[in-house]
Amino acid sequence: MRIRKAVFPVAGLGTRFLPATKASAKEMLPIVDKPLIQYAVSEAISAGAEELIFITGRSKNSIMDHFDKAYELEAELESRGKRKLLETVQEILPPGITCIYIRQAEALGLGHAVLCAWPAVGDEDFSVILADDLIDGKLRPCLAQMQRVYQEYGTSVIATQQVPREEVSAYGIVETQPVAPGLGEIRRIVEKPKPADAPSNLAVVGRYILTPRIFKLLERTSGGAGGEIQLTDAISTMIQEQTVLAYEFEGTRYDCGSKLGYLKANVEYALKHPELADSFREYLCERVAEWNSRPRLAARK
Ligand code: G1P
């Protein structure tokens, strides 16, 4: 049992990163030297995906170009003897992986984006990855961790994480019945509740393994929170028919849909980067020492 198809909803406008995202895709923002979408794609491939389905929109052509062959660039690198860089470019997509692009003409929400993937997914279980949520899995990538759960239980699995109470209104929030450590069956799921109404502080993060039943349910789902067709609402119906598991992944998630999360991810990945780690650490230490040696500003009245 392997999930062969991965869906990447990438049609969002990325307004939080304007003006950087005015003419280009937010998923192409780099974490050190790789765009966010490349991390998401690598995660899917390492969990066994062979078919990548991108749900795109306007200003997203750079995503297609990124995963396409770049003849002129490759010829140029070859002729200049830049073998290492040539490999870096050629390794973006391993052989045997197919990319499918579907245009989401209207921004009707995550649920609608997933529904757009139906013709390409067909009648098999599939995964959904939100590239904004960059996850550094502890021992293995988040989707590969979820795939193990899927193999054991054969049902839908959704990645979750505990978040502070005051942040619950930014997420889908689940209430679960424990199954095993870090694993629970979803009893209730609510999209972006107010802290007072939230059933828990266990939040859905951007990784889902779903059965194709979700498509039929999405078809019937009307506008929910923010007037959008919410994936969460369709999952809420699905739990009445099928088991859906909430899995607390092991690792660290960076919310790269926010500027602060994006900056944190860049710092952490730079500190792990083979060419940059030492010099960047040195720079950060100098900067912190300089900061600490400055007299503290008097507290403002
Ligand atoms: C989406 C989902 C939400 C989930 C979140 C994870 O929200 O609708 O349930 O918790 O992704 O990042 P968005 O962040 O797109 O508003």
Side-chain angles (χ1 to χ4, degrees):
M1 264 175 43
R2 187 157 57 90
I3 303 289
R4 295 189 315 115
K5 298 183 180 181
V7 175
F8 303 87
V10 290
L13 293 176
T15 47
R16 284 195 272 175
F17 280 91
L18 281 169
T21 48
K22 184 182 169 217
S24 65
K26 67 172 171 169
E27 295 79 10
M28 289 302 292
L29 290 171
I31 300 297
V32 188
D33 51 9
K34 282 186 227 138
L36 273 169
I37 189 69
Q38 194 177 326
Y39 290 92
V41 159
S42 302
E43 187 178 328
I45 293 173
S46 73
E50 293 165 353
E51 208 167 279
L52 314 177
I53 302 156
F54 298 86
I55 310 301
T56 73
R58 281 176 289 279
S59 309
K60 301 286 181 169
N61 290 347
S62 52
I63 296 178
M64 272 192 272
D65 292 341
H66 188 72
F67 293 106
D68 197 2
K69 197 166 169 60
Y71 287 103
E72 295 83 355
L73 176 64
E74 289 183 27
E76 186 71 27
L77 293 172
E78 179 102 64
S79 73
R80 290 207 220 155
K82 307 242 181 221
R83 288 239 47 100
K84 188 91 185 58
L85 283 177
L86 182 61
E87 276 167 28
T88 307
V89 168
Q90 288 173 336
E91 281 165 3
I92 290 175
L93 209 61
I97 304 292
T98 310
C99 293
I100 296 175
Y101 298 90
I102 296 174
R103 263 307 252 258
Q104 185 187 13
E106 288 174 282
L108 295 178
L110 177 60
H112 180 254
V114 171
L115 184 56
C116 289
W118 195 0
V121 172
D123 194 26
E124 61 182 284
D125 298 350
F126 66 103
S127 65
V128 178
I129 300 194
L130 308 185
D132 278 4
D133 279 331
L134 177 64
I135 299 181
D136 188 2
K138 215 172 173 184
L139 294 173
R140 55 178 56 80
C142 180
L143 198 63
Q145 295 176 33
M146 294 166 69
Q147 170 95 18
R148 289 188 154 199
V149 177
Y150 168 78
Q151 273 162 353
E152 189 173 345
Y153 294 87
T155 60
S156 298
V157 186
I158 297 176
T160 55
Q161 179 183 42
Q162 308 273 352
V163 298
R165 265 275 159 187
E166 61 277 15
E167 290 176 19
V168 292
S169 55
Y171 298 95
I173 299 292
V174 295
E175 184 183 310
T176 59
Q177 168 112 7
V179 171
L183 193 66
E185 183 175 341
I186 301 182
R187 292 291 188 211
R188 233 180 111 200
I189 179 165
V190 199
E191 182 68 6
K192 304 197 169 88
K194 293 193 188 105
D197 305 332
S200 76
N201 66 335
L202 193 57
V204 172
V205 300
R207 303 287 184 280
Y208 308 76
I209 291 178
L210 297 167
T211 67
R213 176 70 186 149
I214 199 74
F215 295 125
K216 278 258 175 245
L217 300 175
L218 279 167
E219 232 181 4
R220 292 192 220 139
T221 305
S222 47
E228 298 185 335
I229 297 176
Q230 297 293 348
L231 181 57
T232 298
D233 293 345
I235 294 170
S236 176
T237 312
M238 192 150 89
I239 59 175
Q240 292 158 31
E241 306 175 357
Q242 300 183 353
T243 302
V244 181
L245 296 170
Y247 169 69
E248 281 185 71
F249 68 92
E250 293 186 25
T252 308
R253 162 183 166 265
Y254 300 95
D255 174 11
C256 293
S258 83
K259 286 175 199 163
L260 185 61
Y262 175 73
L263 289 173
K264 285 182 187 173
N266 267 297
V267 169
E268 296 299 337
Y269 279 68
L271 287 170
K272 291 196 303 181
H273 193 283
E275 287 156 26
L276 277 176
D278 293 343
S279 48
F280 187 59
R281 182 172 295 108
E282 211 172 290
Y283 166 74
L284 281 186
C285 290
E286 277 167 22
R287 213 55 197 87
V288 171
E290 192 186 308
W291 184 260
N292 285 339
S293 68
R294 276 188 202 158
R296 291 265 169 259
L297 291 173
R300 292 210 182 117
K301 296 215 170 122

